Each structure stands twice: as structure tokens, then as C-alpha cells.
């Protein structure tokens, strides 16, 4: 291990450093404004594909090339979040409807209505109590003011918990309830549970403004062997996520055309390296 000794650099010193590393900066005022709005450290993740060797940019690389890649990634995150949001809302709706139908609106407080061990059930109950207690939603206050029950009905609970907790709740459902939710999606239970984990992971990346382009995902996707369109895919790149999201959105009859939106984004940024994202086609 070594001591971290990189010094603070002024914005002008950052620009000079980039120029010393063979980056063409035609408009220094523009570069200055960008560095004030987007930190050098954040932008540095987008330097790497333009390097010919360590910390040296390939001849002809411009500051605009880096900013273009950054803006593409920003729009990709927005599009990705939008696609996951639609799947998330479907899941919240479907869990609430089918669980209440099978186990009553307050059945989630009884572990016999779940297919899980006591540890997972207790964790879920604790998380629900924590999330509903700190919720500022009007519907929660209205319920507390009007009704005697201390627990909220399931359709309120699913609107207060995080997507991560919602995904965990899904993994705890009894097979009979899960089967109702999976109706029409045509995926094995273990595959869809994994996909929800991947969606939650990528949602968090997008929500925290982290890089999606050229990212190798930590959570690996389980590939459904009975679906030929997924055959031969790399299970830790954006392309596989795009196929997953498009598949689920189509299966739940959502009108959002994710594939077209993604193609339009690539058309807007024709210089983006799609192979690094695992894309075979688009």
C-alpha cells in the first residue's frame, strides 16, 4: 500500500493537465465551465476508452469527444430508469392485487402466507415498519387518522417500500401467488427473481448517476435457456439488460417501446462504441 499524494488542482490546472496528456481542447472557456459543473474525477471514467497508453490520449481526441460520451451515458441512465420504473410499477401493482386476493390485505403480517424462513420474514416486517413510519405520503397519514389498524393494507405497503425491498418481498411469495404474477411472462421463477435483482441493481446505478456505458455488472443475469433470443449472451453487460427489459415490457403489454427509444439514442450518438456494452445488434 502507498500513501495517496495527489494534490488539489485548480480548474485551469486540470485543463493544462489534460492538454499535457495530449487532449485537444479547442475552447478552454467551455472546458472550464464543464469542469465546474462535472468534476474532473467523474469525467475521468470517460477518459479511458480514448487512451492510447496510460494517461495519454490517442492523437486527435478532443474534449468534446469525452463530453459527448458523458452526455450519452446520462441519457442512457434516464432511459434505463424509465424502463425499470414501468416494470417496477407493474410489479407493485401485481403483488398488491394478487397477494390481497390470495391472503387478504393484511396477510403480509403472517409468516404462514410466505415461502421463506423466519429470518427473512422478520427482516421484511422490520423494514416495512421502518419505511411506513418515516413515510410522508398523504395516504399513510389519512389511513392513520381514519382507521384503527396499526398495519397498512398491502397495496399501501408496496407503495412505501423501496424497489430493493419489493424485490425481496417477491422472492418470499408462495408459489401460488407468484404463479399469478408470472402469468404471461413465461419465465421460470428462479430466472425472474434474478432479473428483479438485476433491475434493482441497475436502477440504483442509474439513480446515483453512476456510469452505465461500458460497465461490467456485478450482478450476473441468469439466461433463460428456453428463450432462443437470449442464446449466447454475455450475462454482465448492458445489452443483456436491454433484452431483459424489452422482453418484460412486451410481456406485460406496456406501450413503452424501449427498443425504439434505445435505437433513437444510438442514432443521436453514432460514435458510441456499442460492442463494449455487449451489443450484438440494436
Amino acid at each position: 500500500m502507498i500513501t495517496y499524494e495527489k494534490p488539489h488542482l485548480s480548474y485551469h490546472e486540470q485543463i493544462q493537465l489534460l492538454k499535457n496528456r495530449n487532449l485537444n481542447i479547442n475552447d478552454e472557456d467551455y472546458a472550464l465551465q464543464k469542469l465546474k459543473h462535472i468534476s474532473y474525477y467523474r469525467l475521468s471514467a470517460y477518459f479511458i476508452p480514448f487512451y492510447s497508453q496510460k494517461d495519454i490520449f490517442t492523437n486527435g481526441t478532443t474534449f468534446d469527444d469525452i463530453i459527448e460520451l458523458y452526455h450519452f451515458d446520462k441519457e442512457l441512465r434516464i432511459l434505463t430508469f424509465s424502463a425499470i420504473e414501468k416494470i417496477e410499477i407493474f410489479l407493485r401493482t401485481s403483488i398488491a392485487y394478487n397477494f390481497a386476493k390470495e391472503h387478504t390485505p393484511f396477510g403480509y403480517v403472517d409468516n404462514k402466507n410466505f415461502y421463506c424462513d423466519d429470518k427473512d420474514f422478520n427482516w421484511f416486517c422490520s423494514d416495512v415498519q421502518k419505511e411506513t413510519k418515516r413515510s410522508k405520503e398523504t395516504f399513510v397519514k389519512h389511513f392513520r387518522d381514519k382507521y384503527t389498524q396499526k398495519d397498512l393494507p398491502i397495496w399501501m405497503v408496496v407503495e412505501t417500500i423501496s424497489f430493493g425491498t419489493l424485490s425481496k418481498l417477491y422472492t418470499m411469495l408462495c408459489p401460488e401467488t407468484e404463479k399469478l404474477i408470472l402469468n404471461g411472462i413465461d419465465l421460470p421463477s428462479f430466472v425472474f427473481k434474478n432479473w428483479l435483482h438485476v433491475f434493482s441493481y441497475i436502477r440504483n446505478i442509474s439513480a446515483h448517476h453512476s456510469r452505465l456505458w461500458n460497465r461490467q455488472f456485478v450482478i450476473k443475469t441468469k439466461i433463460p435457456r428456453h428463450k432462443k433470443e437470449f442464446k449466447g449472451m454475455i450475462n454482465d453487460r448492458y445489452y443483456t439488460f436491454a433484452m431483459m427489459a424489452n422482453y418484460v415490457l412486451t410481456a406485460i403489454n406496456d406501450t413503452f417501446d424501449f427498443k425504439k427509444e434505445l435505437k433513437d439514442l444510438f442514432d443521436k450518438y453514432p460514435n458510441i462504441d456499442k460492442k463494449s456494452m455487449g451489443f450484438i445488434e440494436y
Side-chain angles (χ1 to χ4, degrees), residues 35-274:
L35 288 170
K36 287 182 177 180
H37 297 160
I38 311 165
S39 76
Y40 182 101
Y41 183 75
R42 178 178 288 274
L43 276 181
S44 66
Y46 304 94
F47 295 167
I48 298 172
F50 297 104
Y51 284 154
S52 59
Q53 55 183 291
K54 181 175 172 54
D55 294 335
I56 301 297
F57 290 98
T58 303
N59 288 337
T61 303
T62 68
F63 187 77
D64 288 343
D65 292 331
I66 294 166
I67 294 300
E68 179 182 54
L69 180 56
Y70 173 83
H71 283 305
F72 164 79
D73 195 41
K74 179 178 70 173
E75 293 186 39
L76 180 67
R77 287 195 301 271
I78 294 170
L79 178 59
T80 298
F81 195 91
S82 182
I84 296 175
E85 177 190 37
K86 297 175 189 310
I87 296 170
E88 176 183 345
I89 291 173
F90 159 78
L91 188 65
R92 291 183 189 276
T93 302
S94 191
I95 287 178
Y97 179 86
N98 289 295
F99 189 90
K101 178 183 176 182
E102 292 289 297
H103 305 295
T104 78
F106 300 97
Y108 68 90
V109 300
D110 191 341
N111 62 358
K112 77 177 189 318
N113 294 326
F114 291 99
Y115 191 69
C116 66
D117 57 29
D118 289 342
K119 181 181 178 181
D120 284 343
F121 176 74
N122 291 335
W123 174 88
F124 170 71
C125 289
S126 175
D127 197 72
V128 167
Q129 290 176 6
K130 179 177 64 177
E131 293 293 336
T132 55
K133 184 177 181 180
R134 70 184 182 189
S135 174
K136 303 299 182 182
E137 293 285 357
T138 302
F139 65 80
V140 173
K141 183 179 185 305
H142 172 75
F143 184 88
R144 301 287 194 211
D145 291 342
K146 186 172 181 178
Y147 300 101
T148 58
Q149 288 96 331
K150 64 183 181 70
D151 299 308
L152 302 177
I154 186 66
W155 48 78
M156 292 187 185
V157 168
V158 298
E159 296 298 336
T160 59
I161 59 179
S162 69
F163 186 41
T165 302
L166 186 77
S167 300
K168 181 67 175 179
L169 168 59
Y170 181 86
T171 68
M172 295 164 52
L173 295 176
C174 294
E176 296 78 14
T177 307
E178 185 187 13
K179 185 177 179 180
L180 295 172
I181 297 169
L182 279 176
N183 183 35
I185 296 179
D186 190 27
L187 287 174
S189 170
F190 76 95
V191 170
F192 192 62
K193 287 174 181 176
N194 165 261
W195 284 20
L196 292 181
H197 193 190
V198 174
F199 289 151
S200 179
Y201 165 70
I202 295 177
R203 183 189 186 278
N204 286 338
I205 291 174
S206 301
H208 290 91
H209 319 297
S210 298
R211 176 176 51 85
L212 272 181
W213 175 83
N214 195 29
R215 192 183 193 108
Q216 185 175 12
F217 298 137
V218 173
I219 310 299
K220 312 297 184 185
T221 299
K222 293 188 184 298
I223 306 298
R225 295 182 179 180
H226 71 299
K227 296 293 182 182
K228 62 181 181 179
E229 62 265 40
F230 290 94
K231 187 176 181 180
M233 282 189 182
I234 301 171
N235 69 347
D236 60 0
R237 295 289 178 172
Y238 189 88
Y239 178 59
T240 302
F241 160 76
M243 289 291 292
M244 292 161 54
N246 188 67
Y247 176 87
V248 174
L249 287 167
T250 301
I252 64 177
N253 297 312
D254 195 279
T255 57
F256 182 65
D257 194 339
F258 182 52
K259 185 176 181 179
K260 179 182 180 303
E261 294 290 333
L262 196 56
K263 185 178 185 306
D264 288 346
L265 182 60
F266 283 135
D267 289 344
K268 181 179 178 180
Y269 294 93
N271 297 322
I272 296 301
D273 178 11
K274 294 177 282 295

